[in-house]
Amino acid sequence: MSKKKLVFSGVQPTGNLHLGNYLGALKNFVSLQKEMECIYCVVDLHAITSFQKPNELEDNVFETVASFLATGIDPNKSIIFNQSSVSGHAELAWILNCVSRIGWLNRMTQFKDKAGSDKEKASVGLYIYPNLMAADILLYKASHVPVGADQKQHLELCRDIAQKFNNDFNCEGFFPLPEPLIQKNVSRVMSLRDGNKKMSKSEESDYSRINLKDTTDEISKKIKKAKSDSEPIPQSLKGLEKKPEALNLVNIYSELSKSSLDKVLNEMSGKEYSFLKTKLAELLINEITPVGKEIKKLLNDKPYLKQVLKKGEEKANIIAEENLKNIREKVGLI
Ligand code: TYM
């Protein structure tokens, strides 16, 4: 049984990465590099479960790699690659499609959200998306998976699939059961317009999110316009119950200022939200605009980005092929 600590995570190349991706996932990706071997994947096969224009998909793959690098993922420490360049993902996904159960997939809330009211029209790929995600993780026998809270259910499914494979093929411990690593306060960064919805690339209004490439001006405007509360900032978290937009702003501020929620409320209670917003905009500008500038700079050097992906692909393929050889053997595929 492999007891090695190995991190795997993925990000879809579907356009602008935002503050939710950054606080919920990317920042954690960067800090984990110090402790463990890490594999970070641009999951283009996941992206095409909803139609993507081919040239936009290609641009978005580069932009996602540039975002990985700009936030501090080091290609000399971590493996960075594009999912479709390692064919083992698709092959293992097929095997796991035969292990995973329809009843399990029927419970996936993200499919229900994404497919909307007309499920009959959703792609089959979107439905079996969580099996591909399990394949991504198990292909490398990853032990830890840093993600935002929205991916928790998919991770639980991955553990169920791994366990069933180990049972079915009588190989206890063959696939490790991966541990989700979910940030505490910022596991779900919410929309700046509606505190009950998570911040997402797909929400129509750009004012709902801070994009990593936003300028100083855009960040200031978006925070100024963000929904908050007409009452002053309360003394304790209890006062933020039923005020999801205000809670979201306080949470983001607490994370960026590295102060606990209690400390932030202590300092700010009685003040108007405009006070918090001014300070929050400053912190965001300091943290996000250098990342955005670096993304734009890196996007002007496609040969470098291609080189990073190529090197990652080669390293990922070596691990994937070795593991797939053993997986095929377990299943009885000659
Ligand atoms: P994706 O591309 O939607 O998002 C990438 C990462 O960002 C996190 N995230 C958030 N965290 C906090 N607040 C938010 N508002 C927010 N929005 C997004 C996501 O949880 C994720 O960690 N299915 C995955 C990609 C994937 C994957 C994998 C992840 C494919 N294979 C294997 C881990 C392991 C997804 O669609 O992430």
Side-chain angles (χ1 to χ4, degrees), residues 15-261:
N16 269 336
L17 293 190
H18 52 71
L19 188 67
N21 302 122
Y22 178 73
L23 294 178
L26 291 173
K27 263 188 113 170
N28 214 4
F29 291 5
V30 174
S31 59
L32 285 164
Q33 295 182 119
K34 291 184 210 122
E35 306 159 38
M36 300 187 212
E37 225 176 284
C38 299
I39 304 177
Y40 296 125
C41 184
V42 181
V43 291
D44 57 349
L45 295 176
H46 278 91
I48 60 169
T49 56
S50 303
F51 182 76
Q52 306 292 321
K53 289 190 182 138
N55 52 347
E56 283 179 15
L57 178 63
E58 202 181 310
D59 287 347
N60 286 335
V61 168
F62 286 118
E63 186 157 330
T64 310
V65 183
S67 306
F68 282 1
L69 299 172
T71 47
I73 298 175
D74 178 352
N76 294 316
K77 280 196 190 134
S78 299
I79 297 178
I80 299 174
F81 74 106
N82 191 27
Q83 189 181 28
S84 62
S85 69
V86 175
S87 61
H89 288 255
E91 184 177 343
L92 181 57
W94 181 257
I95 294 173
L96 299 185
N97 282 341
C98 303
V99 174
S100 181
R101 304 287 94 180
I102 290 176
W104 297 353
L105 289 179
N106 282 345
R107 286 197 287 273
M108 295 297 113
T109 54
Q110 198 162 80
F111 174 74
K112 290 178 194 158
D113 291 347
K114 285 200 177 170
S117 52
D118 198 355
K119 286 196 202 57
E120 300 285 312
K121 284 210 173 133
S123 75
V124 176
L126 188 67
Y127 182 62
I128 57 173
Y129 174 117
N131 294 344
L132 177 60
M133 191 166 151
D136 299 338
I137 298 164
L138 299 178
L139 185 58
Y140 301 93
K141 297 192 170 183
S143 58
H144 293 82
V145 184
V147 281
D150 61 333
Q151 299 300 318
K152 191 164 175 261
Q153 195 186 33
H154 290 160
L155 260 276
E156 281 158 7
L157 179 84
C158 174
R159 289 168 63 93
D160 289 343
I161 292 174
Q163 188 62 65
K164 187 169 189 310
F165 185 101
N166 293 347
N167 292 345
D168 288 354
F169 298 104
N170 203 13
C171 51
E172 193 47 46
F174 178 76
F175 281 131
L177 307 188
E179 295 280 339
L181 298 175
I182 298 178
Q183 298 284 61
K184 221 166 135 242
N185 289 333
V186 280
S187 65
R188 196 184 288 273
V189 176
M190 307 311 276
S191 154
L192 301 177
R193 310 294 281 167
D194 177 351
N196 294 308
K197 278 195 199 156
K198 70 170 185 175
M199 185 176 283
S200 100
K201 300 166 190 172
S202 53
E203 191 173 335
E204 212 173 306
S205 166
D206 201 45
Y207 276 91
S208 67
R209 63 188 159 257
I210 303 289
N211 302 307
L212 296 187
K213 286 196 307 183
D214 279 350
T215 59
T216 303
D217 230 34
E218 284 165 332
I219 294 177
S220 294
K221 269 195 206 138
K222 287 180 179 179
I223 295 297
K224 218 177 239 169
K225 283 201 162 212
K227 264 198 176 172
S228 55
D229 193 38
S230 52
E231 287 175 20
I233 300 175
Q235 256 174 351
S236 71
L237 270 177
K238 193 144 182 44
L240 288 174
E241 273 171 15
K242 305 213 180 92
K243 298 186 172 173
E245 288 88 8
L247 176 64
N248 188 39
L249 294 179
V250 174
N251 259 333
I252 299 171
Y253 182 81
S254 149
E255 180 68 18
L256 291 175
S257 64
K258 300 190 179 75
S259 342
S260 68
L261 285 173

